[in-house]
């Protein structure tokens, strides 16, 4: 009998085996507790330095209560994309609250921050335009650049001289767009937004920033790095997430009324995707209220992060240019990062090892992310453990 040799999916097992050999294969672990400073992952109780729940709102009962009330009133699913019939009272309320929180004319909610970034870039530029992006921008920004079919210019992380040179050769394009993370998600460093705003103005470019890790954390009102650096008025497009410090789910764009009207018409992940459940929007409104009323969450968090960063640097760890609640311990080889993460796990500490492609080759790290729920003792436990492993 003729053997069937048609096995078009075999390449996947081969590629997975290759990833395994390089120490780059990722596997899911399962958390069986709430998201919090102390979690149970794969049956082990650990102090959790691996969430973006910076203001410790993900398991706050006020969010769950708001979600339950909205689900009770409006039902669970939204049933359609926003432009059809998916946009409910809770979505409208959230967008009004976000515009108020951000101090902008309007805001628009997407199902995820990823969708907000990718959809917004592709709505702002296209063939005949050019977009400038930092190499360490989040994948959603980089994918948005590719999706847009505009010409893409990538500069090395923080190489703003190169960016200026590229901008000076870009006058021929119809539109120019500079996109950047405001707080880089793996390195924890801040983009120099004043300098970027200068460059944008000198070269007649639009400036779009992704405040995903800064919303709720930076700035006197928690609006993000643009507020912290006093450049809000000079940034044309501000993206944030509801899924990190705000403990909920979704992404948003804040800006002028006309920007939002344009995105409603042209941002494909907004137009062609079902609106998030009303309960998700209601939880995000509750989170905005808490973030506004309890500023000590963010000030305490940033103060504790300063201390931890200093202590780790004193121990000789390379914490890069972190200036935030995200503190990388850069070790270089992926195997070393995995080894350290395992050794910390044995000491009851969860700190994820971050490997390529999430970081460039040679920059594997432990990514420590602090939340306002971490106690002084927890931070000391981590410093002590890293002190022993150094
Ligand atoms: C810098 C940055 N932007 C955007 C996103 C995407 O946000 P979301 O998780 O809401 O899709 C992330 C998520 O990891 C991020 O780190």
């Amino acid at each position: 009998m003729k053997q069937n040799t048609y096995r078009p999916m075999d390449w996947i097992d081969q590629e997975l085996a290759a990833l395994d050999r390089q120490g780059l294969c990722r596997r899911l672990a399962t958390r069986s507790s709430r998201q919090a400073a102390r979690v149970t992952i794969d049956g082990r109780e650990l102090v959790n330095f691996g969430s973006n729940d910076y203001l410790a709102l993900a398991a706050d009962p006020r969010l769950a209560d708001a979600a339950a009330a909205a689900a009770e009133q409006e039902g669970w699913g939204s049933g359609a994309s926003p432009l059809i019939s998916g946009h409910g009272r809770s979505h409208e309320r959230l967008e009004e609250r976000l515009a108020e929180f951000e101090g902008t004319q309007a805001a628009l909610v997407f199902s995820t921050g990823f969708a907000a970034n990718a959809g917004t870039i592709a709505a702002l530029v296209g063939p005949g335009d050019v977009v400038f992006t930092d190499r360490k921008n989040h994948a959603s920004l980089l994918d948005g650049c590719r999706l847009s079919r505009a010409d893409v210019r990538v500069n090395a992380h923080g190489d703003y001289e190169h960016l200026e040179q590229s901008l000076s050769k870009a006058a021929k394009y119809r539109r120019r767009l500079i996109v950047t993370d405001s707080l880089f998600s793996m390195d924890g460093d801040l983009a120099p937004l004043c300098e970027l705003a200068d460059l944008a103005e000198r070269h007649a470019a639009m400036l779009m920033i992704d405040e995903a890790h800064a919303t709720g954390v930076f700035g006197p009102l928690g609006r993000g790095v643009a507020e912290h650096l006093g450049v809000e008025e000079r940034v044309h497009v501000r993206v944030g997430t509801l899924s990190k410090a705000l403990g909920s789910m979704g992404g948003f764009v804040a800006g002028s009324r006309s920007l939002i009207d344009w995105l409603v018409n042209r941002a494909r992940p907004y137009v062609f995707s079902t609106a998030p459940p009303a309960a998700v929007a209601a939880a995000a409104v509750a989170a905005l209220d808490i973030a506004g009323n309890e500023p000590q969450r963010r000030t305490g968090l940033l103060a504790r992060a300063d201390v931890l960063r200093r202590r780790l640097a004193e121990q000789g760890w390379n914490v890069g240019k972190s200036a935030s609640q995200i503190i990388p311990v850069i070790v270089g080889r992926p195997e070393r990062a995995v080894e350290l993460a395992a050794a910390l796990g044995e000491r009851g500490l969860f700190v994820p090892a971050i490997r390529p492609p999430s970081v460039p080759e040679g920059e594997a790290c432990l990514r420590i992310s602090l939340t306002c729920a971490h106690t002084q003792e927890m931070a000391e436990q981590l410093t002590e453990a890293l002190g022993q492993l150094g």
Side-chain angles (χ1 to χ4, degrees), residues 6 24 36 62-63 72 77 81 94 97 112 138 144 149 155 171 174 187 202 214 275 315 332 343 347 349 360 372 383:
Y6 178 61
L24 293 178
R62 290 170 286 183
L63 271 65
E72 177 76 23
S81 64
L94 173 58
R97 276 293 280 117
T112 65
H138 188 256
R149 293 182 295 138
N155 61 276
R174 181 183 60 161
D187 291 38
R202 272 209 296 283
Q315 288 179 343
R347 291 163 168 80
L349 300 159
C372 68
T383 321

Side-chain angles (χ1 to χ4, degrees), residues 52 112-114 117 138 140 181 183 185 210 212-213 241 243-244 250-251:
N52 301 317
T112 65
F114 199 113
N117 274 335
H138 188 256
S140 52
D181 283 18
L183 195 181
S185 55
D210 174 9
H213 294 272
T241 46
S243 55
K244 303 188 194 300

Side-chain angles (χ1 to χ4, degrees), residues 254-297:
S256 67
R257 181 75 257 166
S258 59
L259 168 69
I260 300 308
D261 289 347
W262 179 248
L263 295 177
V264 166
N265 284 276
R266 282 291 183 271
R268 292 168 65 83
Y270 182 82
V271 176
F272 295 104
S273 188
T274 300
V280 168
V285 170
L288 283 168
D289 289 343
I290 301 170
N293 294 334
E294 301 176 14
Q296 68 280 9
R297 286 178 184 259

